[in-house]
Amino acid sequence: MNRLLTAESIIGEAMLKGAKLSGMEFPISAFPLRIQRIITELHDSQGYPIDYIAAAMLSALAVSIGNSHLVQVKRGWLESPILYIALIGRPGANKSHPLSFAFHPFIEHDYRYNKEYQEQYAEYERTMTMTKKERLEAGKDEFPVPPKRSRFLVSDITPEGLSLIHSQNPRGLCLWSDELSA
């Protein structure tokens, strides 16, 4: 059967699917099979609620894409995968563990690059204590550039601090908070 694709038919189909999904678990079928398998295996082996791990995985996917890819919604309108996600449940509902699992690669990256940044910054500070002549004699740049810290996650940040961090991470950042009130 040939059906004409129109904006109305697409919106209608989306509304029907939305109505079918309401009241059901997170629709993990929207994910690739490998991610569906991770979600179901974590649910089966660790007891993570399906919707919590699926939302955490979706967030992690958005962070990994960052500003590296944009989708064209319509001509002249580009969007990056910016998501606002909150896992809400009673205390002890196993909200933190799915997030820690999904964000583990970013936590490890940020830790590793922070250590590297600290070493580079210490070297930069040593270089800056030298006179211009000493820097040139040591084979260093006349005007050293401070290192930049690559990261994916920020938490407990001021707007002023966020501005500098964001300027050093054009790929984008994820504001990570354990508590919604933060």
Side-chain angles (χ1 to χ4, degrees):
M1 173 177 159
N2 279 342
R3 290 181 30 194
L4 182 62
L5 284 180
T6 64
E8 292 80 20
S9 70
I10 293 170
I11 291 170
E13 188 71 26
M15 290 178 72
L16 283 174
K17 287 192 185 295
K20 288 179 186 176
L21 291 173
S22 63
M24 294 176 59
E25 287 185 339
F26 195 104
I28 65 169
S29 60
F31 288 106
L33 289 175
R34 295 175 99 181
I35 294 176
Q36 290 179 42
R37 186 171 157 211
I38 292 169
I39 292 168
T40 56
E41 287 186 13
L42 281 169
H43 172 70
D44 294 343
S45 67
Q46 302 295 318
Y48 296 171
I50 295 279
D51 48 350
Y52 289 172
I53 190 62
M57 295 292 285
L58 184 61
S59 298
L61 288 168
V63 171
S64 68
I65 295 168
N67 292 323
S68 68
H69 289 75
L70 304 173
V71 70
Q72 183 170 335
V73 178
K74 60 183 180 179
R75 194 178 339 198
W77 180 5
L78 300 173
E79 290 288 340
S80 59
I82 297 173
L83 299 176
Y84 298 89
I85 293 187
L87 302 184
I88 299 173
R90 67 187 190 294
N94 210 355
K95 300 179 295 288
S96 296
H97 295 300
L99 284 169
S100 295
F101 173 84
F103 280 85
H104 182 76
F106 304 111
I107 294 166
E108 288 294 314
H109 169 276
D110 286 1
Y111 177 77
R112 188 173 60 253
Y113 278 85
N114 184 50
K115 285 181 73 173
E116 200 174 288
Y117 168 79
Q118 288 176 344
E119 292 167 5
Q120 291 171 353
Y121 196 80
E123 177 60 29
Y124 168 76
E125 284 185 322
R126 280 191 294 276
T127 303
M128 291 306 292
T129 62
M130 303 166 88
T131 65
K132 187 166 100 173
K133 181 180 176 186
E134 290 171 330
R135 285 194 297 260
L136 291 173
E137 287 173 354
K140 300 197 180 278
D141 289 337
E142 183 177 354
F143 301 105
V145 177
K148 294 181 179 179
R149 182 175 167 199
S150 170
R151 63 172 97 182
F152 285 100
L153 307 174
V154 294
S155 62
D156 193 26
I157 188 86
T158 65
E160 297 81 16
L162 184 59
S163 178
L164 172 64
I165 293 168
H166 202 283
S167 71
Q168 294 179 347
N169 292 277
R171 183 183 181 93
L173 295 164
C174 172
L175 176 59
W176 167 286
S177 178
D178 254 358
E179 295 296 326
L180 193 56
S181 61

